[in-house]
Amino acid sequence: MKGYWPVELSDGDVGLRPIRQRDQRAWREVNQRNRDWLRPWEATLPPPRPGQAPPRRPTFRQMVRHLRAEAQAGRMLPFVVTYRGRLAGQLTVAGITWGSMCSAHIGYWVDRAVAGRGVMPTAVALVTDYCFRTLGLHRVEICIRPENGPSRRVVEKLGFREEGLRPRYLHIDGEWRDHLVFALTAEEVPAGLLARWHQRRERDSQQK
């Protein structure tokens, strides 16, 4: 995706920029402070097949090298989320596919200390508009465990369609877990998802 990455996106106090090695200290501080909150929703490695050694989770440096290589290959957009200039989470556009599909999926997590302030809906809206309007993708989807209320509120606020259940879709918190699929296509947000999100926030504030 030469010419499309790296990229930085922002709206008000919320920003998205490529993850980098020097984020290690801030990333670890936020991630470890939120361990109990994030653990039920984080991907884990399934048990090894017979004869294989137990898998090891990558170090931060290994994770960043992998994400950057995937970005350079055009398969991924790995961002950190910032709020008022400070690292507040992570958002990754992955599984970028072209041809007759032109789609990708989004995964994210956010610091509990800033949850409820519209940080993640804004970040998702920013990156969805980038995928549709700049990259030229047609479809974006987000898969969420049914029990993950905070993450489901993000897609509900943004108006992603619920499409159904994928049984035992990902290995999460030590088990194969069901996920609900939420999706949007470019035709559904002709004026942009960020604009629609701003309209909803303004409408909600007027009703209070």
Side-chain angles (χ1 to χ4, degrees):
M1 290 185 296
K2 191 174 181 180
Y4 298 102
W5 182 265
V7 65
E8 296 190 13
L9 309 170
S10 65
D11 181 69
D13 292 331
V14 179
L16 289 167
R17 61 165 176 77
I19 193 169
R20 55 200 184 196
Q21 294 290 0
R22 60 181 178 271
D23 288 322
Q24 180 170 354
R25 179 177 294 180
W27 186 94
R28 285 191 181 281
E29 188 279 322
V30 175
N31 193 271
Q32 291 176 3
R33 178 162 43 80
N34 286 272
R35 274 294 77 216
D36 291 342
W37 196 52
L38 296 175
R39 185 177 292 110
W41 324 118
E42 284 191 340
T44 48
L45 297 171
R49 295 192 297 271
Q52 285 188 329
R56 290 185 177 181
R57 291 188 66 87
T59 64
F60 180 85
R61 297 186 67 83
Q62 290 170 336
M63 177 187 71
V64 172
R65 281 199 298 268
H66 169 72
L67 292 175
R68 292 176 66 177
E70 289 293 290
Q72 291 167 3
R75 294 186 289 264
M76 188 178 285
L77 304 176
F79 294 99
V80 292
V81 180
T82 60
Y83 179 65
R84 296 181 177 175
R86 301 187 65 176
L87 192 149
Q90 192 171 348
L91 183 153
T92 304
V93 181
I96 296 174
T97 304
W98 298 101
S100 58
M101 183 171 284
C102 291
S103 73
H105 57 264
I106 297 173
Y108 52 80
W109 62 265
V110 71
D111 186 348
R112 190 175 189 177
V114 302
R117 301 185 192 181
V119 175
M120 195 50 71
T122 300
V124 172
L126 277 166
V127 84
T128 299
D129 283 350
Y130 186 74
C131 287
F132 288 159
R133 295 178 157 192
T134 303
L135 291 188
L137 294 178
H138 175 250
R139 172 187 165 91
V140 167
E141 69 176 39
I142 299 175
C143 296
I144 302 170
R145 286 187 61 184
E147 305 89 346
N148 190 345
S151 193
R152 289 181 64 174
R153 282 193 288 276
V154 171
V155 293
E156 289 162 0
K157 288 175 181 178
L158 293 174
F160 275 70
R161 282 179 292 100
E162 183 178 333
E163 292 190 333
L165 183 72
R166 291 182 178 170
R168 297 172 296 282
Y169 177 62
L170 285 176
H171 201 270
I172 302 284
D173 194 28
E175 298 288 345
W176 293 104
R177 309 287 185 175
D178 297 349
H179 279 64
L180 291 169
V181 184
F182 298 85
L184 271 182
T185 59
E187 297 92 341
E188 294 174 88
V189 283
L193 185 57
L194 185 63
R196 189 167 80 179
W197 167 232
H198 282 317
Q199 289 172 357
R200 168 165 179 163
R201 296 188 84 178
E202 184 177 353
R203 185 173 63 250
D204 289 349
S205 66
Q206 292 173 350
Q207 293 174 351
K208 288 182 179 179

